[in-house]
Amino acid sequence: MDKNFQDEFTQVIKFQPPLYKQRHQFVKDLVEKYKPKKVADLGCADCSLLWMLKFCSCIEVLAGLDICANVMKEKMHTLSPLPVDYLQPSERSLTVTLHHGSVAHKDPCMLGFDLVTCIELIEHLEESELKKFPEVVFGFMAPSIVVISTPNSEFNPLLPGMMLYRHPDHKFEWSQAQFQSWALETARCYNYSVEFTGVGHPPTGMEKVGFCTQIGVFVRKYPRTGESVQSEKPTEAVYKTVFKAVYPSLKDEKYLQNAVISEVIFTAQIIKHRLMSKRKEHGDDPERKSKFQPSMDCFSDYLGKLVVEKNMEPFVTGNEVYIPLATIFSFPKVNRLCGTFEKLCKLIAGKVTLSSDGSAVMFNIEHENEEN
Ligand code: SAH
């Protein structure tokens, strides 16, 4: 490399966004593309990649592994559900787990993942660990996709203030040829294909240097059969679980029931409110008194159609207002939450006051009448 040319860049190379963010964004894009349900991040350090991934709606299981428990614990609280997650449980389920252990050891908790990420991990491994790494990740865990990123040593002369390696804990840093030959051999051995890319572009005119961070994306060539997944793996647990968070989800009947009850009462209240306003407007007309009357706004139009089409009108008898469950069920949000009318009835049974035949939500308006 021309020394002058090199000097010129040593001063100016600064990645925007920072390189670690570009690596994490690369993983996020991959997740958006392949939509894995179960993702494990090996060498997860301060859990920042896991935190970013918890917002990807396709992911239902997230796991992190690191040999250093302290670095994982520093920010692991950021992986816990927030109050808003309880107030509005998500439709997907999500479990986040952190394990303390080494990628040189097999543990059954690492089975069944679709995507395994190893971002800036391998260069931290001792020779003996690096030797075991392919068998653990590609042989044992055998996910559909593995992403491995590692520094490209050919880029190092362009980085300001470089010592031997980019980080004091690095055991090696590979050139493009070294990484690619290791990756191709690993892929061949475990029936994966591998493609090379990276983040952190070299300056114009120095493309040969390659990306600052080199990345291999490995894709398993053949699907694993159910048998081979189960039978070959009588492995004992060696990792220690240091964190586990189960996010509230509508897949859990308890949260679904709460959401349905709130939505049913909310919908019924709105219908009742409209009905009462109309009654006030037409208070002196006995024909109109107990019937719901459509008006010009969307909500009332919608209700009006239901009334005409299906004879599902709300009605008033004495101090009681009745909103048919069939009407409430026809509202998109209630419908989507419950799926079937039977399920709606089951979820609200004993939790919402109903008419004696169970077909309508009942409100007593005695006190409202008094106030008026
Ligand atoms: N993946 C992180 C940074 C990784 S730094 C990111 O994207 O920002 C490397 C991490 O690997 C460190 O946290 C280190 O503790 C961990 N590590 C080193 N050797 C390991 C091993 N044998 N098994 C698991 N983790 C290991």
Side-chain angles (χ1 to χ4, degrees):
M1 193 181 301
D2 179 322
K3 181 81 177 65
N4 292 338
F5 201 46
Q6 184 184 319
D7 283 350
E8 196 180 310
F9 285 110
T10 321
Q11 299 311 315
V12 291
I13 286 207
K14 200 174 173 209
F15 294 105
Q16 203 50 258
L19 214 50
Y20 79 94
K21 283 198 177 166
Q22 292 191 38
R23 289 192 286 262
H24 291 179
Q25 187 59 45
F26 179 89
V27 173
K28 198 168 179 223
D29 292 344
L30 211 70
V31 166
E32 304 295 347
K33 182 173 167 194
Y34 289 101
K35 308 238 174 289
K37 277 192 179 171
K38 300 182 177 187
V39 180
D41 184 29
L42 311 185
C44 63
D46 66 358
C47 309
S48 52
L49 177 59
L50 291 170
W51 181 83
M52 188 172 178
L53 294 180
K54 84 174 185 140
F55 298 99
C56 297
S57 58
C58 60
I59 297 178
E60 295 180 359
V61 174
L62 260 182
L65 172 72
D66 205 287
I67 202 163
C68 178
N70 287 343
V71 70
M72 267 193 300
K73 285 178 180 171
E74 247 170 57
K75 292 191 192 157
M76 71 182 181
H77 61 275
T78 61
L79 298 173
S80 297
L82 299 169
V84 66
D85 294 314
Y86 289 97
L87 289 171
Q88 273 193 322
S90 156
E91 286 191 20
R92 65 148 169 177
S93 58
L94 175 63
T95 304
V96 185
T97 320
L98 295 178
H99 304 282
H100 176 217
S102 170
V103 288
H105 299 136
K106 298 174 182 175
D107 187 299
C109 73
M110 282 290 149
L111 292 174
F113 285 88
D114 304 308
L115 169 66
V116 168
T117 57
C118 310
I119 304 304
E120 307 297 275
L121 165 69
I122 58 171
E123 66 276 9
H124 290 266
L125 302 180
E126 301 283 356
E127 204 179 332
S128 60
E129 295 175 313
L130 184 68
K131 244 190 192 148
K132 292 179 186 155
F133 173 85
E135 173 50 26
V136 175
V137 175
F138 295 90
F140 176 74
M141 296 176 68
S144 312
I145 303 168
V146 180
V147 190
I148 297 181
S149 86
T150 193
N152 164 17
S153 63
E154 288 164 78
F155 203 101
N156 287 353
L158 296 177
L159 298 172
M162 263 296 300
M163 307 297 273
L164 175 62
Y165 295 137
R166 293 184 196 176
H167 189 280
D169 188 51
H170 286 181
K171 309 299 184 300
F172 60 88
E173 285 177 0
W174 279 337
S175 66
Q176 295 173 87
Q178 285 172 313
F179 176 53
Q180 290 182 14
S181 100
W182 175 86
L184 286 166
E185 177 52 21
T186 302
R188 192 195 56 76
C189 196
Y190 293 96
N191 278 320
Y192 280 73
S193 62
V194 57
E195 286 190 7
F196 299 101
T197 177
V199 292
H201 282 274
T204 318
M206 303 193 80
E207 286 75 12
K208 262 195 159 169
V209 163
F211 291 103
C212 189
T213 295
Q214 46 187 343
I215 299 176
V217 179
F218 300 74
V219 178
R220 203 182 56 220
K221 284 185 183 164
Y222 312 108
R224 289 187 73 87
T225 62
E227 261 173 50
S228 61
V229 174
Q230 298 306 325
S231 63
E232 290 169 13
K233 326 233 143 131
T235 319
E236 270 180 45
V238 288
Y239 298 164
K240 190 174 166 225
T241 303
V242 293
F243 174 89
K244 184 167 180 177
V246 179
Y247 278 64
S249 155
L250 295 176
K251 290 212 171 106
D252 180 334
E253 190 97 347
K254 170 176 80 194
Y255 293 110
L256 176 66
Q257 186 176 42
N258 282 342
V260 168
I261 293 168
S262 313
E263 200 57 34
V264 164
I265 294 175
F266 175 72
T267 308
Q269 289 274 16
I270 291 182
I271 299 173
K272 185 195 88 176
H273 180 76
R274 297 294 166 118
L275 175 63
M276 301 314 284
S277 320
K278 292 292 157 195
R279 274 168 58 88
K280 248 191 220 159
E281 272 173 40
H282 307 285
D284 52 347
D285 182 341
E287 225 339 86
R288 290 178 155 194
K289 215 172 196 168
S290 61
K291 298 258 173 174
F292 177 79
Q293 293 297 319
S295 85
M296 292 309 287
D297 67 73
C298 295
F299 186 87
S300 300
D301 279 356
Y302 178 62
L303 268 176
K305 266 186 211 142
L306 287 176
V307 168
V308 174
E309 282 169 18
K310 300 181 186 165
N311 197 24
M312 301 193 298
E313 69 261 52
F315 58 94
V316 181
T317 335
N319 281 326
E320 280 152 7
V321 180
Y322 293 90
I323 319 288
L325 280 180
T327 309
I328 295 170
F329 180 65
S330 70
F331 276 72
K333 191 154 178 203
V334 179
N335 195 288
R336 193 163 44 84
L337 281 171
C338 304
T340 64
F341 187 72
E342 289 66 35
K343 182 97 191 205
L344 166 67
C345 297
K346 185 178 160 232
L347 288 169
I348 63 168
K351 306 283 180 186
V352 177
T353 312
L354 298 177
S355 56
S356 54
D357 67 354
S359 70
V361 172
M362 190 196 86
F363 291 107
N364 192 311
I365 52 167
E366 195 177 347
H367 298 297
E368 290 175 36
N369 284 343
E370 277 169 13
E371 279 164 26
N372 292 338

